[in-house]
Amino acid sequence: MKFLNAMTSLLDSAEDTMAGLKKTFYHQFSPGGSLFQSQLISITPQFPANPADALSLGEIGKIPPLNSRSAFHIFRPVEKSFNSLLRAPTKLFPGAGDGNSQLASSSFMDAQPTSSFSDIGDLFSNLYVFGDSLTDIGNIKNVTEFVQPFDWLFGLDIPVAPPPTPEGVPPYFEGRFSNGPVWIDIVADSLGKSLTASSKLSVFRPGLLRFPSPITVTQEGLSVSPYFNGNLVDANVNFAFGGANTDQTGLGGGDFDTLIPGALKQVGWLEKDLARSRESIAPEALVIYWFGPNDYWTNPQADPETTVGNIEEGLTRLIDMGAQNLLVPNMPNLSKVPRFNEAEGNPKPPYDSQVINDFSLHHNALLQETLDGLIGEYPDVNFIQLDVNALFEEALDPLSDFGFTNTVHPFLSPLTPMNADPKDYLFWDDIHPTAGAHDILAHTALTELQEFFLPAEGSLFQTQFDQRTPSLV
Protein backbone atom coordinates (compact mmCIF):
# COMPACT_ATOMS: atom_id res chain seq x y z
CA MET A 1 0.00 0.00 0.00
CA LYS A 2 2.90 2.36 0.76
CA PHE A 3 4.26 1.68 -2.71
CA LEU A 4 0.90 2.42 -4.36
CA ASN A 5 0.42 5.60 -2.34
CA ALA A 6 3.91 6.70 -3.31
CA MET A 7 3.25 5.85 -6.96
CA THR A 8 0.00 7.83 -7.13
CA SER A 9 1.65 10.74 -5.32
CA LEU A 10 4.47 10.52 -7.82
CA LEU A 11 2.00 10.67 -10.71
CA ASP A 12 0.27 13.70 -9.23
CA SER A 13 3.67 15.34 -8.72
CA ALA A 14 4.58 14.51 -12.32
CA GLU A 15 1.54 16.36 -13.60
CA ASP A 16 2.23 19.36 -11.35
CA THR A 17 5.92 19.39 -12.31
CA MET A 18 5.24 19.07 -16.03
CA ALA A 19 2.56 21.76 -15.87
CA GLY A 20 5.08 24.09 -14.25
CA LEU A 21 7.72 23.22 -16.82
CA LYS A 22 5.34 23.82 -19.66
CA LYS A 23 4.36 27.22 -18.29
CA THR A 24 8.02 28.20 -17.77
CA PHE A 25 9.20 27.09 -21.20
CA TYR A 26 6.18 28.61 -22.90
CA HIS A 27 6.73 32.06 -21.41
CA GLN A 28 10.54 32.17 -21.33
CA PHE A 29 11.61 30.38 -24.48
CA SER A 30 8.95 29.93 -27.13
CA PRO A 31 5.55 31.56 -27.69
CA GLY A 32 4.35 28.36 -29.33
CA GLY A 33 5.87 26.03 -26.82
CA SER A 34 7.99 24.29 -29.46
CA LEU A 35 11.16 24.39 -27.40
CA PHE A 36 9.36 22.72 -24.53
CA GLN A 37 8.24 19.94 -26.81
CA SER A 38 11.71 19.40 -28.25
CA GLN A 39 13.24 19.30 -24.77
CA LEU A 40 10.87 16.59 -23.62
CA ILE A 41 11.34 14.44 -26.71
CA SER A 42 15.13 14.61 -26.33
CA ILE A 43 14.96 12.74 -23.01
CA THR A 44 15.32 9.02 -23.76
CA PRO A 45 16.13 7.08 -20.57
CA GLN A 46 15.52 3.34 -20.20
CA PHE A 47 14.42 0.97 -17.44
CA PRO A 48 17.26 -0.68 -15.47
CA ALA A 49 18.32 -4.05 -16.92
CA ASN A 50 18.10 -5.64 -13.46
CA PRO A 51 14.65 -5.29 -11.84
CA ALA A 52 16.30 -5.07 -8.41
CA ASP A 53 18.08 -1.90 -9.53
CA ALA A 54 14.73 -0.24 -10.16
CA LEU A 55 13.85 -0.55 -6.48
CA SER A 56 17.17 1.00 -5.50
CA LEU A 57 15.79 4.34 -6.69
CA GLY A 58 14.14 4.52 -3.30
CA GLU A 59 12.72 2.21 -0.67
CA ILE A 60 9.03 1.46 -0.97
CA GLY A 61 7.21 4.36 0.62
CA LYS A 62 10.34 6.54 0.39
CA ILE A 63 10.55 7.32 -3.30
CA PRO A 64 12.64 10.50 -3.77
CA PRO A 65 10.98 13.72 -4.94
CA LEU A 66 10.08 13.71 -8.60
CA ASN A 67 11.70 15.96 -11.14
CA SER A 68 11.10 16.22 -14.88
CA ARG A 69 13.90 13.80 -15.74
CA SER A 70 12.87 11.07 -13.27
CA ALA A 71 9.27 11.41 -14.44
CA PHE A 72 10.30 10.55 -17.96
CA HIS A 73 12.52 7.71 -16.73
CA ILE A 74 9.26 6.12 -15.61
CA PHE A 75 6.72 7.12 -18.20
CA ARG A 76 8.55 7.56 -21.51
CA PRO A 77 9.45 3.82 -21.89
CA VAL A 78 5.84 2.88 -21.17
CA GLU A 79 4.64 5.24 -23.89
CA LYS A 80 7.25 3.91 -26.33
CA SER A 81 6.40 0.26 -25.64
CA PHE A 82 2.70 0.81 -26.23
CA ASN A 83 3.31 2.74 -29.43
CA SER A 84 5.40 -0.17 -30.67
CA LEU A 85 2.46 -2.48 -30.02
CA LEU A 86 0.22 -0.18 -32.05
CA ARG A 87 2.65 -0.34 -34.96
CA ALA A 88 3.08 -4.13 -34.83
CA PRO A 89 1.98 -5.81 -38.07
CA THR A 90 -0.99 -8.15 -37.86
CA LYS A 91 -1.77 -11.31 -39.74
CA LEU A 92 -5.36 -12.23 -40.39
CA PHE A 93 -7.18 -15.30 -41.55
CA PRO A 94 -8.75 -15.13 -44.98
CA GLY A 95 -12.10 -16.80 -45.34
CA ALA A 96 -13.35 -16.42 -41.78
CA GLY A 97 -16.60 -18.05 -42.78
CA ASP A 98 -14.99 -21.44 -43.28
CA GLY A 99 -12.97 -21.34 -40.06
CA ASN A 100 -9.72 -21.35 -42.06
CA SER A 101 -6.82 -21.68 -39.63
CA GLN A 102 -4.00 -20.83 -42.02
CA LEU A 103 -2.23 -17.54 -41.38
CA ALA A 104 -1.96 -15.13 -44.27
CA SER A 105 -1.15 -11.47 -44.85
CA SER A 106 -4.45 -10.59 -46.50
CA SER A 107 -7.46 -9.56 -44.44
CA PHE A 108 -10.24 -11.98 -43.61
CA MET A 109 -12.61 -9.27 -44.70
CA ASP A 110 -11.65 -9.91 -48.33
CA ALA A 111 -13.82 -13.01 -48.25
CA GLN A 112 -16.92 -11.36 -46.79
CA PRO A 113 -19.83 -10.34 -49.06
CA THR A 114 -20.18 -6.82 -47.70
CA SER A 115 -21.85 -5.23 -50.72
CA SER A 116 -25.37 -6.29 -49.74
CA PHE A 117 -25.06 -4.36 -46.46
CA SER A 118 -23.81 -1.02 -47.72
CA ASP A 119 -27.29 0.49 -47.57
CA ILE A 120 -27.93 -0.53 -43.99
CA GLY A 121 -24.42 0.47 -42.96
CA ASP A 122 -25.09 3.94 -44.28
CA LEU A 123 -27.94 4.29 -41.80
CA PHE A 124 -25.53 4.24 -38.85
CA SER A 125 -23.09 7.01 -38.01
CA ASN A 126 -20.92 4.81 -35.78
CA LEU A 127 -20.85 1.72 -33.55
CA TYR A 128 -20.50 1.37 -29.78
CA VAL A 129 -20.04 -2.26 -28.71
CA PHE A 130 -20.19 -3.56 -25.13
CA GLY A 131 -19.63 -7.18 -24.19
CA ASP A 132 -17.50 -10.04 -22.91
CA SER A 133 -15.22 -12.65 -24.51
CA LEU A 134 -17.77 -13.49 -27.21
CA THR A 135 -17.35 -9.94 -28.51
CA ASP A 136 -13.81 -8.99 -27.39
CA ILE A 137 -11.57 -8.09 -30.36
CA GLY A 138 -8.35 -7.88 -28.36
CA ASN A 139 -8.89 -5.70 -25.29
CA ILE A 140 -7.97 -8.28 -22.66
CA LYS A 141 -4.96 -9.37 -24.73
CA ASN A 142 -3.76 -5.78 -25.14
CA VAL A 143 -3.98 -5.16 -21.41
CA THR A 144 -2.46 -8.42 -20.16
CA GLU A 145 0.41 -8.28 -22.66
CA PHE A 146 1.12 -4.64 -21.81
CA VAL A 147 1.59 -5.27 -18.07
CA GLN A 148 3.96 -8.23 -18.45
CA PRO A 149 7.20 -6.23 -18.02
CA PHE A 150 6.17 -4.57 -14.75
CA ASP A 151 3.28 -6.42 -13.07
CA TRP A 152 5.81 -7.76 -10.52
CA LEU A 153 6.30 -4.20 -9.23
CA PHE A 154 2.74 -4.37 -7.92
CA GLY A 155 3.08 -7.87 -6.47
CA LEU A 156 1.09 -9.37 -9.34
CA ASP A 157 1.60 -12.27 -11.72
CA ILE A 158 -0.84 -11.70 -14.56
CA PRO A 159 -0.99 -14.25 -17.38
CA VAL A 160 -1.67 -13.26 -20.96
CA ALA A 161 -5.23 -13.89 -22.12
CA PRO A 162 -6.39 -15.60 -24.23
CA PRO A 163 -3.79 -18.19 -23.24
CA PRO A 164 -1.21 -19.67 -25.61
CA THR A 165 -2.15 -23.06 -27.04
CA PRO A 166 0.16 -26.11 -26.92
CA GLU A 167 2.80 -26.47 -29.61
CA GLY A 168 1.32 -27.67 -32.86
CA VAL A 169 -2.21 -26.54 -31.94
CA PRO A 170 -3.74 -23.58 -33.82
CA PRO A 171 -3.68 -20.44 -31.67
CA TYR A 172 -6.37 -18.14 -30.45
CA PHE A 173 -6.69 -15.56 -33.20
CA GLU A 174 -5.39 -12.02 -32.68
CA GLY A 175 -6.71 -11.67 -29.13
CA ARG A 176 -10.10 -13.21 -29.95
CA PHE A 177 -11.46 -16.13 -27.94
CA SER A 178 -11.78 -18.22 -31.09
CA ASN A 179 -9.73 -19.53 -34.01
CA GLY A 180 -10.68 -16.64 -36.26
CA PRO A 181 -12.57 -13.34 -36.36
CA VAL A 182 -15.55 -13.13 -34.03
CA TRP A 183 -19.06 -12.15 -35.01
CA ILE A 184 -18.67 -8.45 -34.31
CA ASP A 185 -15.63 -8.24 -36.63
CA ILE A 186 -17.81 -9.43 -39.50
CA VAL A 187 -20.81 -7.29 -38.56
CA ALA A 188 -18.72 -4.12 -38.32
CA ASP A 189 -16.94 -4.75 -41.61
CA SER A 190 -20.19 -5.62 -43.37
CA LEU A 191 -21.63 -2.31 -42.19
CA GLY A 192 -18.55 -0.48 -43.45
CA LYS A 193 -17.32 0.46 -39.97
CA SER A 194 -13.72 0.15 -38.82
CA LEU A 195 -14.00 -0.96 -35.20
CA THR A 196 -11.24 -0.11 -32.69
CA ALA A 197 -10.64 -1.83 -29.35
CA SER A 198 -11.12 0.67 -26.52
CA SER A 199 -7.72 -0.27 -25.05
CA LYS A 200 -6.12 1.33 -28.12
CA LEU A 201 -7.92 4.62 -27.53
CA SER A 202 -7.33 5.12 -23.80
CA VAL A 203 -4.61 7.28 -22.25
CA PHE A 204 -2.55 6.87 -19.09
CA ARG A 205 -4.02 9.82 -17.24
CA PRO A 206 -5.91 12.97 -18.21
CA GLY A 207 -3.97 16.19 -18.49
CA LEU A 208 -0.30 16.22 -19.37
CA LEU A 209 0.25 12.46 -18.95
CA ARG A 210 -2.24 11.57 -21.64
CA PHE A 211 0.02 9.33 -23.72
CA PRO A 212 -1.62 6.18 -25.17
CA SER A 213 -1.87 3.41 -22.60
CA PRO A 214 -4.37 0.60 -21.88
CA ILE A 215 -3.65 0.82 -18.14
CA THR A 216 -3.31 3.41 -15.41
CA VAL A 217 -2.22 3.37 -11.76
CA THR A 218 -4.49 4.17 -8.83
CA GLN A 219 -4.15 3.75 -5.08
CA GLU A 220 -5.69 0.29 -5.56
CA GLY A 221 -2.95 -0.68 -8.02
CA LEU A 222 -2.88 -1.38 -11.73
CA SER A 223 -6.17 -0.79 -13.49
CA VAL A 224 -7.55 -0.65 -17.00
CA SER A 225 -7.47 3.00 -17.99
CA PRO A 226 -10.88 4.72 -17.90
CA TYR A 227 -9.48 7.86 -19.55
CA PHE A 228 -10.12 8.56 -23.25
CA ASN A 229 -9.43 12.27 -23.69
CA GLY A 230 -12.50 12.75 -25.89
CA ASN A 231 -11.52 9.93 -28.26
CA LEU A 232 -14.91 8.20 -27.99
CA VAL A 233 -17.07 10.93 -29.53
CA ASP A 234 -18.67 9.57 -32.74
CA ALA A 235 -16.04 6.80 -32.87
CA ASN A 236 -16.44 3.10 -33.74
CA VAL A 237 -15.40 1.56 -30.42
CA ASN A 238 -15.47 -1.95 -28.99
CA PHE A 239 -15.38 -1.88 -25.17
CA ALA A 240 -15.84 -5.66 -24.76
CA PHE A 241 -13.45 -7.47 -22.40
CA GLY A 242 -13.14 -11.20 -21.95
CA GLY A 243 -14.40 -12.10 -18.49
CA ALA A 244 -16.75 -9.13 -18.07
CA ASN A 245 -19.72 -9.59 -15.75
CA THR A 246 -22.94 -7.60 -16.01
CA ASP A 247 -22.00 -5.33 -13.08
CA GLN A 248 -18.77 -3.38 -12.52
CA THR A 249 -16.59 -6.46 -12.10
CA GLY A 250 -14.87 -9.21 -14.06
CA LEU A 251 -14.86 -12.97 -13.76
CA GLY A 252 -11.09 -13.30 -13.37
CA GLY A 253 -10.70 -12.75 -9.64
CA GLY A 254 -7.31 -12.42 -7.94
CA ASP A 255 -4.76 -10.44 -9.90
CA PHE A 256 -7.23 -9.96 -12.75
CA ASP A 257 -9.74 -8.00 -10.65
CA THR A 258 -8.88 -4.49 -11.81
CA LEU A 259 -8.00 -5.50 -15.38
CA ILE A 260 -11.46 -6.76 -16.41
CA PRO A 261 -14.10 -4.02 -16.50
CA GLY A 262 -17.67 -5.25 -16.13
CA ALA A 263 -20.58 -4.03 -18.24
CA LEU A 264 -21.49 -1.07 -16.07
CA LYS A 265 -17.87 0.06 -15.89
CA GLN A 266 -17.65 -0.07 -19.69
CA VAL A 267 -20.80 2.04 -19.91
CA GLY A 268 -19.34 4.46 -17.36
CA TRP A 269 -16.30 5.04 -19.55
CA LEU A 270 -18.47 6.26 -22.39
CA GLU A 271 -20.61 8.35 -20.03
CA LYS A 272 -17.61 10.19 -18.62
CA ASP A 273 -15.88 10.74 -21.94
CA LEU A 274 -19.01 12.10 -23.60
CA ALA A 275 -19.72 14.32 -20.59
CA ARG A 276 -16.14 15.59 -20.70
CA SER A 277 -16.71 16.64 -24.31
CA ARG A 278 -20.29 17.80 -23.63
CA GLU A 279 -21.51 15.37 -26.26
CA SER A 280 -24.07 12.58 -26.43
CA ILE A 281 -24.48 9.36 -28.39
CA ALA A 282 -25.47 10.28 -31.92
CA PRO A 283 -29.09 9.31 -32.68
CA GLU A 284 -27.82 7.44 -35.77
CA ALA A 285 -25.32 5.34 -33.76
CA LEU A 286 -25.82 1.59 -33.40
CA VAL A 287 -25.17 0.31 -29.87
CA ILE A 288 -24.61 -3.41 -29.30
CA TYR A 289 -24.94 -4.72 -25.74
CA TRP A 290 -24.37 -8.41 -24.94
CA PHE A 291 -23.61 -9.80 -21.48
CA GLY A 292 -24.72 -12.61 -19.18
CA PRO A 293 -22.75 -15.89 -19.24
CA ASN A 294 -19.90 -14.80 -16.96
CA ASP A 295 -22.35 -14.17 -14.12
CA TYR A 296 -23.16 -17.89 -14.14
CA TRP A 297 -20.09 -19.95 -15.15
CA THR A 298 -18.67 -20.43 -11.66
CA ASN A 299 -21.50 -19.29 -9.42
CA PRO A 300 -24.19 -21.83 -8.47
CA GLN A 301 -25.75 -19.11 -6.27
CA ALA A 302 -26.16 -16.66 -9.16
CA ASP A 303 -29.34 -14.61 -9.33
CA PRO A 304 -30.77 -14.06 -12.83
CA GLU A 305 -32.91 -11.20 -11.53
CA THR A 306 -29.77 -9.34 -10.43
CA THR A 307 -28.00 -10.12 -13.70
CA VAL A 308 -30.87 -8.95 -15.90
CA GLY A 309 -31.35 -5.95 -13.63
CA ASN A 310 -27.75 -4.97 -14.35
CA ILE A 311 -28.40 -5.32 -18.09
CA GLU A 312 -31.47 -3.11 -17.77
CA GLU A 313 -29.42 -0.48 -15.93
CA GLY A 314 -26.76 -0.48 -18.64
CA LEU A 315 -29.34 -0.12 -21.42
CA THR A 316 -31.16 2.66 -19.58
CA ARG A 317 -27.95 4.61 -19.04
CA LEU A 318 -27.11 4.29 -22.73
CA ILE A 319 -30.56 5.58 -23.66
CA ASP A 320 -30.03 8.50 -21.27
CA MET A 321 -26.82 9.24 -23.20
CA GLY A 322 -28.84 9.44 -26.42
CA ALA A 323 -28.79 5.89 -27.79
CA GLN A 324 -31.65 5.32 -30.23
CA ASN A 325 -30.67 1.97 -31.81
CA LEU A 326 -29.87 -0.94 -29.50
CA LEU A 327 -29.04 -4.51 -30.59
CA VAL A 328 -29.50 -6.83 -27.61
CA PRO A 329 -28.81 -10.59 -27.94
CA ASN A 330 -30.13 -13.09 -25.43
CA MET A 331 -28.04 -15.91 -23.95
CA PRO A 332 -27.48 -19.46 -25.25
CA ASN A 333 -28.35 -22.35 -22.96
CA LEU A 334 -25.11 -22.63 -21.01
CA SER A 335 -25.84 -26.20 -19.92
CA LYS A 336 -25.16 -27.38 -23.48
CA VAL A 337 -21.63 -26.04 -23.89
CA PRO A 338 -18.78 -28.53 -23.36
CA ARG A 339 -18.00 -27.19 -19.88
CA PHE A 340 -21.41 -28.38 -18.67
CA ASN A 341 -22.72 -30.99 -21.10
CA GLU A 342 -21.05 -33.91 -19.26
CA ALA A 343 -20.21 -35.75 -22.48
CA GLU A 344 -17.55 -38.45 -22.29
CA GLY A 345 -14.12 -36.88 -22.40
CA ASN A 346 -15.21 -33.43 -21.25
CA PRO A 347 -14.12 -32.10 -17.85
CA LYS A 348 -16.46 -32.48 -14.90
CA PRO A 349 -18.79 -29.45 -14.70
CA PRO A 350 -18.00 -26.94 -11.93
CA TYR A 351 -21.53 -27.52 -10.61
CA ASP A 352 -24.79 -29.28 -11.52
CA SER A 353 -25.63 -28.69 -15.18
CA GLN A 354 -29.35 -28.66 -14.38
CA VAL A 355 -28.80 -25.57 -12.23
CA ILE A 356 -27.17 -23.62 -15.04
CA ASN A 357 -29.87 -24.85 -17.41
CA ASP A 358 -32.44 -23.27 -15.11
CA PHE A 359 -30.35 -20.10 -14.91
CA SER A 360 -30.26 -19.88 -18.71
CA LEU A 361 -34.02 -20.31 -19.12
CA HIS A 362 -34.82 -17.87 -16.31
CA HIS A 363 -32.32 -15.32 -17.65
CA ASN A 364 -33.79 -15.29 -21.13
CA ALA A 365 -37.36 -15.10 -19.87
CA LEU A 366 -36.48 -12.15 -17.62
CA LEU A 367 -34.52 -10.45 -20.39
CA GLN A 368 -37.48 -10.70 -22.76
CA GLU A 369 -39.77 -9.29 -20.10
CA THR A 370 -37.31 -6.46 -19.46
CA LEU A 371 -36.97 -5.59 -23.14
CA ASP A 372 -40.74 -5.59 -23.55
CA GLY A 373 -40.94 -3.12 -20.68
CA LEU A 374 -38.23 -0.89 -22.16
CA ILE A 375 -39.94 -0.93 -25.54
CA GLY A 376 -43.09 0.37 -23.86
CA GLU A 377 -41.19 2.93 -21.81
CA TYR A 378 -39.09 4.23 -24.72
CA PRO A 379 -41.30 4.02 -27.84
CA ASP A 380 -38.89 6.18 -29.88
CA VAL A 381 -35.93 3.83 -29.30
CA ASN A 382 -35.28 0.94 -31.68
CA PHE A 383 -34.65 -2.35 -29.86
CA ILE A 384 -33.33 -5.05 -32.19
CA GLN A 385 -33.53 -8.42 -30.43
CA LEU A 386 -31.20 -11.25 -31.45
CA ASP A 387 -32.35 -14.74 -30.45
CA VAL A 388 -28.96 -16.38 -29.97
CA ASN A 389 -30.50 -19.22 -27.98
CA ALA A 390 -32.72 -20.36 -30.86
CA LEU A 391 -29.75 -20.16 -33.24
CA PHE A 392 -27.62 -22.14 -30.79
CA GLU A 393 -30.23 -24.89 -30.50
CA GLU A 394 -30.32 -25.20 -34.28
CA ALA A 395 -26.52 -25.31 -34.53
CA LEU A 396 -26.36 -28.11 -31.94
CA ASP A 397 -28.19 -30.42 -34.35
CA PRO A 398 -25.55 -32.23 -36.48
CA LEU A 399 -28.21 -32.62 -39.20
CA SER A 400 -28.88 -28.88 -39.46
CA ASP A 401 -27.85 -26.89 -42.52
CA PHE A 402 -24.99 -25.38 -40.52
CA GLY A 403 -23.04 -28.62 -40.94
CA PHE A 404 -21.14 -28.92 -37.66
CA THR A 405 -20.31 -32.61 -37.21
CA ASN A 406 -19.06 -32.24 -33.63
CA THR A 407 -21.26 -30.17 -31.36
CA VAL A 408 -20.29 -31.91 -28.13
CA HIS A 409 -16.51 -31.59 -27.73
CA PRO A 410 -14.34 -28.51 -28.26
CA PHE A 411 -11.64 -28.49 -30.91
CA LEU A 412 -9.09 -27.71 -28.18
CA SER A 413 -9.45 -31.11 -26.52
CA PRO A 414 -7.21 -34.15 -26.02
CA LEU A 415 -9.90 -36.10 -27.91
CA THR A 416 -9.43 -34.12 -31.13
CA PRO A 417 -7.88 -36.24 -33.92
CA MET A 418 -4.65 -35.01 -35.48
CA ASN A 419 -6.30 -34.41 -38.85
CA ALA A 420 -9.40 -32.66 -37.45
CA ASP A 421 -10.65 -29.49 -39.11
CA PRO A 422 -11.98 -26.63 -36.94
CA LYS A 423 -14.74 -25.94 -39.43
CA ASP A 424 -16.40 -29.22 -38.37
CA TYR A 425 -16.60 -28.05 -34.75
CA LEU A 426 -19.15 -25.78 -33.09
CA PHE A 427 -16.88 -25.07 -30.11
CA TRP A 428 -13.29 -23.89 -30.12
CA ASP A 429 -12.73 -24.36 -26.38
CA ASP A 430 -15.05 -25.47 -23.60
CA ILE A 431 -17.19 -22.30 -23.70
CA HIS A 432 -16.34 -20.35 -26.88
CA PRO A 433 -17.52 -21.02 -30.44
CA THR A 434 -15.36 -21.49 -33.51
CA ALA A 435 -14.92 -18.93 -36.28
CA GLY A 436 -17.48 -20.81 -38.37
CA ALA A 437 -20.07 -20.44 -35.61
CA HIS A 438 -19.22 -16.75 -35.23
CA ASP A 439 -19.76 -16.30 -38.96
CA ILE A 440 -23.28 -17.74 -38.70
CA LEU A 441 -24.02 -15.53 -35.70
CA ALA A 442 -22.76 -12.46 -37.55
CA HIS A 443 -24.94 -13.09 -40.58
CA THR A 444 -27.95 -13.77 -38.37
CA ALA A 445 -27.37 -10.42 -36.64
CA LEU A 446 -27.05 -8.69 -40.00
CA THR A 447 -30.29 -10.32 -41.13
CA GLU A 448 -32.07 -8.97 -38.06
CA LEU A 449 -30.72 -5.48 -38.70
CA GLN A 450 -31.69 -5.59 -42.34
CA GLU A 451 -35.18 -6.90 -41.68
CA PHE A 452 -35.70 -4.30 -38.94
CA PHE A 453 -34.51 -1.23 -40.87
CA LEU A 454 -34.84 -2.29 -44.52
CA PRO A 455 -37.37 -5.15 -44.53
CA ALA A 456 -37.82 -5.11 -48.31
CA GLU A 457 -34.17 -6.14 -48.77
CA GLY A 458 -34.14 -8.94 -46.21
CA SER A 459 -35.06 -11.68 -48.65
CA LEU A 460 -32.20 -10.76 -50.98
CA PHE A 461 -29.68 -11.07 -48.18
CA GLN A 462 -31.09 -14.35 -46.89
CA THR A 463 -30.70 -15.85 -50.36
CA GLN A 464 -27.04 -14.83 -50.42
CA PHE A 465 -26.46 -16.27 -46.94
CA ASP A 466 -28.15 -19.55 -47.82
CA GLN A 467 -25.79 -19.84 -50.77
CA ARG A 468 -22.78 -19.33 -48.51
CA THR A 469 -23.56 -21.81 -45.74
CA PRO A 470 -22.26 -24.90 -47.59
CA SER A 471 -18.77 -23.39 -47.27
CA LEU A 472 -19.01 -24.06 -43.53
CA VAL A 473 -19.36 -27.82 -44.03
Side-chain angles (χ1 to χ4, degrees), residues 117-426:
F117 306 114
S118 58
D119 289 344
I120 190 171
D122 290 343
L123 297 177
F124 304 120
S125 59
N126 61 298
L127 292 179
Y128 289 125
V129 180
F130 302 86
D132 53 26
S133 57
L134 292 170
T135 312
D136 189 348
I137 61 171
N139 278 319
I140 193 66
K141 183 174 187 288
N142 294 341
V143 169
T144 55
E145 279 190 343
F146 188 82
V147 301
Q148 293 305 301
F150 52 85
D151 59 352
W152 61 274
L153 283 170
F154 298 86
L156 305 175
D157 183 16
I158 296 170
V160 174
T165 53
E167 185 176 354
V169 176
Y172 285 89
F173 170 72
E174 298 289 337
R176 279 78 168 165
F177 287 80
S178 189
N179 61 314
V182 295
W183 74 287
I184 197 60
D185 287 309
I186 302 168
V187 167
D189 182 73
S190 298
L191 297 178
K193 311 300 180 187
S194 180
L195 203 55
T196 302
S198 60
S199 55
K200 292 190 175 183
L201 294 173
S202 56
V203 298
F204 186 72
R205 281 167 73 95
L208 292 172
L209 297 179
R210 58 180 182 270
F211 55 79
S213 173
I215 61 97
T216 190
V217 178
T218 69
Q219 292 200 355
E220 286 72 39
L222 284 177
S223 173
V224 175
S225 175
Y227 309 120
F228 292 91
N229 201 41
N231 291 332
L232 304 182
V233 178
D234 296 332
N236 296 298
V237 188
N238 187 327
F239 299 93
F241 269 75
N245 291 328
T246 60
D247 55 13
Q248 299 275 351
T249 66
L251 179 65
D255 292 352
F256 267 115
D257 276 350
T258 59
L259 297 182
I260 302 179
L264 298 182
K265 187 170 288 187
Q266 294 175 29
V267 170
W269 291 348
L270 182 60
E271 275 179 327
K272 291 178 181 177
D273 197 62
L274 293 180
R276 179 183 185 277
S277 304
R278 298 183 180 180
E279 296 284 352
S280 59
I281 295 176
E284 300 84 11
L286 175 62
V287 179
I288 297 174
Y289 199 82
W290 190 18
F291 295 92
N294 289 327
D295 285 35
Y296 303 109
W297 288 131
T298 61
N299 185 10
Q301 281 78 47
D303 180 8
E305 292 193 6
T306 298
T307 292
V308 175
N310 291 334
I311 293 174
E312 181 178 15
E313 179 184 341
L315 293 172
T316 302
R317 286 165 63 179
L318 288 164
I319 293 170
D320 289 343
M321 283 184 260
Q324 293 289 298
N325 307 293
L326 290 156
L327 174 65
V328 186
N330 65 8
M331 194 172 72
N333 190 327
L334 303 182
S335 70
K336 298 182 180 181
V337 305
R339 181 175 291 184
F340 277 92
N341 68 15
E342 302 187 66
E344 183 179 356
N346 285 345
K348 181 177 175 59
Y351 61 91
D352 188 352
S353 59
Q354 184 58 49
V355 174
I356 203 167
N357 175 75
D358 294 342
F359 284 160
S360 301
L361 298 177
H362 193 189
H363 174 100
N364 283 341
L366 286 173
L367 180 61
Q368 185 62 62
E369 180 181 325
T370 297
L371 291 175
D372 289 343
L374 290 173
I375 290 169
E377 186 175 355
Y378 300 99
D380 295 330
V381 175
N382 297 315
F383 291 90
I384 304 92
Q385 300 178 57
L386 182 58
D387 193 351
V388 173
N389 188 49
L391 185 69
F392 180 56
E393 291 291 343
E394 185 177 357
L396 285 169
D397 182 358
L399 300 179
S400 73
D401 292 337
F402 297 146
F404 297 114
T405 58
N406 191 328
T407 62
V408 175
H409 303 105
F411 183 85
L412 297 182
S413 166
L415 300 177
T416 303
M418 290 294 294
N419 61 346
D421 192 330
K423 72 182 181 182
D424 295 328
Y425 284 72
L426 176 59

Side-chain angles (χ1 to χ4, degrees), residues 93-115:
F93 289 110
D98 60 8
N100 193 333
S101 60
Q102 299 300 312
L103 287 172
S105 60
S106 62
S107 168
F108 75 88
M109 300 306 182
D110 295 342
Q112 301 303 321
T114 59
S115 59

